[in-house]
């Protein structure tokens, strides 16, 4: 599932309009529309504001998807 759709579903689950979420997060309603529709991507700062406004932890959105492996070498390599 794309993050825009997840954002929209969570906003709707909480009974918020785009305008209400935008006001609570300190962003524009148009920005929320762009993110939900996938027309634009959020900056990390915007994601933090949106997650906080929804009462979610930004770290949840930054975790790798199930089955995705971390390709970073170990620290002692």
């Amino acid at each position: 599932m794309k993050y825009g759709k997840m954002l929209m579903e969570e906003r709707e689950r909480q009974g918020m309009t785009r305008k209400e979420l935008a006001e609570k997060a300190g962003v524009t309603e148009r920005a929320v529309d762009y993110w939900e529709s996938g027309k634009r991507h959020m900056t990390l700062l915007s994601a933090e504001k949106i997650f906080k406004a929804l009462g979610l932890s930004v770290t949840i959105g930054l975790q790798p998807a199930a089955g995705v492996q971390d390709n970073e070498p170990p620290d002692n390599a």
Side-chain angles (χ1 to χ4, degrees), residues 3 7 25-27 31-32 34-35 40-52 58 61-62:
Y3 78 87
L7 170 62
V27 299
V32 174
Y34 283 150
W35 299 328
R40 299 223 173 120
H41 297 288
M42 281 188 242
T43 64
L44 186 55
L45 179 61
S46 295
E48 185 176 28
K49 290 178 180 181
I50 290 291
F51 276 68
K52 185 175 180 180
V58 73
L62 296 176

Side-chain angles (χ1 to χ4, degrees), residues 5-22 24-25 36 47-58 60:
K5 183 172 180 171
M6 290 177 5
L7 170 62
M8 181 177 64
E9 287 179 358
E10 181 60 25
R11 175 184 58 76
E12 289 175 345
R13 188 187 71 74
Q14 293 191 27
M16 272 194 252
T17 64
R18 284 182 177 142
K19 183 177 182 177
E20 290 168 334
L21 176 58
K24 193 170 181 179
E36 287 185 354
E48 185 176 28
K49 290 178 180 181
I50 290 291
F51 276 68
K52 185 175 180 180
L54 291 169
L56 301 173
S57 167
V58 73
I60 292 171

